[in-house]
Amino acid sequence: PAPVKPPDGGWGWIVLLGCFVITGFSYAFPKAVSVYFKELMKDFHVGYSDTAWISSIMLAMLYGTGPVCSIMVNQFGCRPVMLIGGLLASSGMILASFTTNIIELYLTAGVLTGLGMALNFQPSLIMLGTYFDKRRPLANGLAAAGSPVFLSSLSPLGQVLLEKFGWRGGFLIMGGLLLNCCTCGAVMRPLDMGMKRKMEKAQDKYEAKEMLPIGGKSEEGISATDGTKKAKKAKKKPRKGKKLLDFSIFSNRGFIIYTISKFILVLGLFVPPILLVNYAKDTGVPDTEAAFLLSIIGFIDIFARPACGMVAGLKWVRPHVAYLFSFSMLFNGLTDICSARASNYTGLVIFCVFFGISYGMVGALQFEVLMAIVGSQKFSSAIGLVLLIEAFAVLIGPPSAGRCRLVDALKNYEVIFYLAGSEVVLSALFLAMATYCCLNR
């Protein structure tokens, strides 16, 4: 059957709200859990690196299970997968509140909750792509704004819960909050449901016409019966089995170019936010002011993502959205390189403003560009494979032991910022040049 035309509104705004919440939980929750690390270290007598594995496992599940999510969505649809994901994410945190050692925490808060969030994140983006077409860049920008909004709210909330109820009570309440993922999954109504309701209304009209006296209207009734008979015959025809994972997207040159550039991008994109606070402290900035730098990035990021989505939706910009994405990456990489020599608090604040703008632009455009390349029909398979490839970049990116040792050995963050910035710039140049030479030439 031909795909249903996206309504670009209506129930799509509710779907967008659900996607906003899911994106917020998926990206912010692994970072917000770090509030509990000190208490976990005391209770389980472990080091910081041991507790940090909880967040790492969550992120690994979010990225690494991409193909599994794609297969489940292609087989069962978005709504059932999201409902199961919401239950898994919630049960993982609830079970984590009863754990007695760090290994059990890895399995519950790490594996179960991470898998649950993965089963929510990917289908929500797929549903957003089916409900929006003309307004899709704006919808992607608004949905991506969930990440900074939730990050700025979940961390303080976690601190309050920790002080009042301890880490066990905090995990229990966080588990309850994650049940909202089930609500978001419930509103992801497939578009064919709306078409079925229209068919039912049409049938009701036909039955009403059948009750009318024979005349001019009877011909309409006969034609309607013929139409319903044809529809029934069409329904009886056996459906072809869906592909569990569509590997034909690797024959799309645009997809290959996007995947390579995204892999290089992830190597350096997350480095500055992770090292920024320690970098500021080493330059003599007090602890409270150093922590405030991340708040500046988050605040700018909230407004940058929807604004970039609006710009990407303009008629003369949208056909060239890949170039806008490469410009945002170039902007981000140059910001990292220029900030490497920031030696005072004012310089770091200026860096955070520009980094927040460029980081928000990248976040708003990354999935919009992928949707534009592969289309909504193949997006479910494409995003799963892209996230799996990104998982390898996340593992060898900022958390890698090599970079940490480099900082410890040199006691100099300039080299790391130069390295991260050059990786992001390289990804921008590769995307722009490869798109022009291989696709638009």
Side-chain angles (χ1 to χ4, degrees), residues 60-136:
M61 294 300 292
L62 183 65
Y63 284 97
T65 56
V68 177
C69 297
S70 295
I71 290 169
M72 290 184 71
V73 167
N74 290 336
Q75 185 69 19
F76 305 110
C78 291
R79 185 191 268 176
V81 173
M82 289 184 71
L83 290 170
I84 292 168
L87 290 173
L88 282 176
S90 177
S91 60
M93 290 303 292
I94 291 169
L95 290 171
S97 65
F98 299 102
T99 53
T100 54
N101 58 60
I102 197 73
I103 303 297
E104 291 174 0
L105 266 178
Y106 294 159
L107 295 173
T108 53
V111 175
L112 264 185
T113 302
L115 178 60
M117 288 192 293
L119 291 176
N120 274 276
F121 176 60
Q122 203 169 307
S124 68
L125 290 174
I126 294 165
M127 287 302 296
L128 193 68
T130 59
Y131 268 88
F132 287 91
D133 181 29
K134 290 179 181 177
R135 295 177 177 171
R136 196 179 63 207

Side-chain angles (χ1 to χ4, degrees), residues 104-360:
E104 291 174 0
L105 266 178
Y106 294 159
L107 295 173
T108 53
V111 175
L112 264 185
T113 302
L115 178 60
M117 288 192 293
L119 291 176
N120 274 276
F121 176 60
Q122 203 169 307
S124 68
L125 290 174
I126 294 165
M127 287 302 296
L128 193 68
T130 59
Y131 268 88
F132 287 91
D133 181 29
K134 290 179 181 177
R135 295 177 177 171
R136 196 179 63 207
L138 175 62
N140 274 314
L142 289 169
S147 174
V149 169
F150 271 64
L151 184 59
S152 58
S153 55
L154 280 179
S155 295
L157 175 64
Q159 190 62 46
V160 171
L161 293 176
L162 179 63
E163 290 170 2
K164 289 195 173 182
F165 305 106
W167 72 266
R168 292 185 186 276
F171 273 26
L172 198 61
I173 294 168
M174 287 283 198
L177 284 176
L178 284 172
L179 280 173
N180 285 295
C181 295
C182 292
T183 309
C184 296
V187 303
M188 300 290 172
R189 188 171 66 201
L191 277 176
D192 3 341
M193 292 290 288
M195 293 303 291
K196 280 180 186 175
R197 287 178 185 178
K198 285 180 183 177
M199 289 287 288
E200 285 170 7
K201 284 180 183 177
Q203 187 140 2
D204 291 342
K205 283 181 183 177
Y206 158 68
E207 286 171 0
K209 283 176 184 176
E210 204 177 33
M211 301 293 288
L212 294 171
I214 297 169
K217 304 263 180 162
S218 62
E219 290 176 6
E220 294 175 13
I222 291 163
S223 63
T225 50
D226 291 339
T228 50
K229 281 177 184 177
K230 284 176 184 176
K232 283 178 182 177
K233 282 179 184 177
K235 279 182 184 177
K236 284 178 184 177
K237 285 180 183 178
R239 281 186 175 182
K240 289 181 181 179
K242 283 185 178 179
K243 287 184 180 179
L244 294 180
L245 201 61
D246 191 354
F247 288 100
S248 66
I249 53 173
F250 282 108
S251 61
N252 185 335
R253 283 183 293 178
F255 176 74
I256 300 293
I257 291 167
Y258 175 86
T259 306
I260 295 170
S261 64
K262 196 76 191 298
F263 179 85
I264 302 168
L265 171 70
V266 172
L267 289 174
L269 183 65
F270 303 118
V271 174
I274 289 171
L275 298 180
L276 180 63
V277 175
N278 288 332
Y279 178 39
K281 287 177 182 178
D282 280 7
T283 56
V285 177
D287 291 1
T288 51
E289 292 181 9
F292 183 67
L293 291 171
L294 289 177
S295 302
I296 295 171
I297 292 176
F299 181 76
I300 299 292
D301 196 2
I302 290 170
F303 298 99
R305 295 189 185 216
C308 186
M310 290 176 69
V311 172
L314 296 173
K315 286 183 181 179
W316 55 276
V317 176
R318 194 169 182 188
H320 312 290
V321 71
Y323 294 110
L324 181 61
F325 185 45
S326 63
F327 169 75
S328 64
M329 291 192 289
L330 182 66
F331 183 17
N332 186 271
L334 292 175
T335 303
D336 294 344
I337 292 169
C338 294
S339 68
R341 288 193 169 275
S343 55
N344 54 30
Y345 190 67
T346 307
L348 289 172
V349 168
I350 294 169
F351 158 70
C352 288
V353 171
F354 284 101
F355 184 84
I357 295 169
S358 59
Y359 191 71

Side-chain angles (χ1 to χ4, degrees), residues 15-25 124 141-147 149-150:
V15 172
L16 173 58
L17 179 62
C19 193
F20 176 88
V21 174
I22 295 294
T23 304
F25 274 126
S124 68
L142 289 169
S147 174
V149 169
F150 271 64

